[in-house]
Amino acid sequence: QVQLVESGGGLVQPGGSLRLSCAASESIFSINAMGWARQAPGKERDLVAGITHSGSTRYGDSVQGRVTISRDSAKNTVYLQLNSLKPEDTAVYYCSAGTWNGYSYRWNYWGQGTQVTVSS
């Protein structure tokens, strides 16, 4: 059972930046893939970014070019850097752990989520 704890959410003005962190309860070397998804009220949960144990990354279309996923294996932590934030980026952001099969992710574990609100 992998436990994931997110932090770093908050209120930010349009055009601003945030860095979200996700601390895992075990070595991320043992986890095939980790990622971030977000869910706005009344909407489905969508992939924001994913990273495999080999370092390969993928991004959702709506955030392409504005976000970067990275990891610090020594700290068992995955980060999501959000830049040029827009009001439509407002959502609960969830960290996830699972696998990548070459075509899609399968998420087995989720964190509790951290709220990101973009508003002036």
Side-chain angles (χ1 to χ4, degrees), residues 18-29:
L18 278 176
R19 189 177 79 157
L20 308 182
S21 300
C22 171
S25 60
E26 63 181 60
S27 171
I28 60 176
F29 277 125

Side-chain angles (χ1 to χ4, degrees), residues 30-114:
S30 67
I31 301 173
N32 181 264
M34 296 191 71
W36 290 91
R38 68 185 184 185
Q39 187 167 21
K43 296 188 177 181
E44 294 184 352
R45 190 175 297 189
D46 292 326
L47 174 72
V48 176
I51 185 167
T52 66
H53 62 81
S54 65
S56 177
T57 59
R58 289 164 183 81
Y59 297 96
D61 291 340
S62 62
V63 298
Q64 190 74 246
R66 298 190 295 119
V67 306
T68 303
I69 188 170
S70 62
R71 63 186 182 186
D72 185 336
S73 299
K75 296 182 178 179
N76 293 331
T77 299
V78 175
Y79 303 100
L80 185 70
Q81 179 69 41
L82 304 167
N83 298 321
S84 302
L85 284 163
K86 306 174 183 179
E88 50 263 43
D89 294 318
T90 295
V92 178
Y93 285 70
Y94 296 92
C95 180
S96 56
T99 57
W100 167 254
N101 65 7
Y103 298 97
S104 62
Y105 294 106
R106 178 177 179 178
W107 303 118
N108 302 119
Y109 303 101
W110 294 94
Q112 293 299 307
T114 185

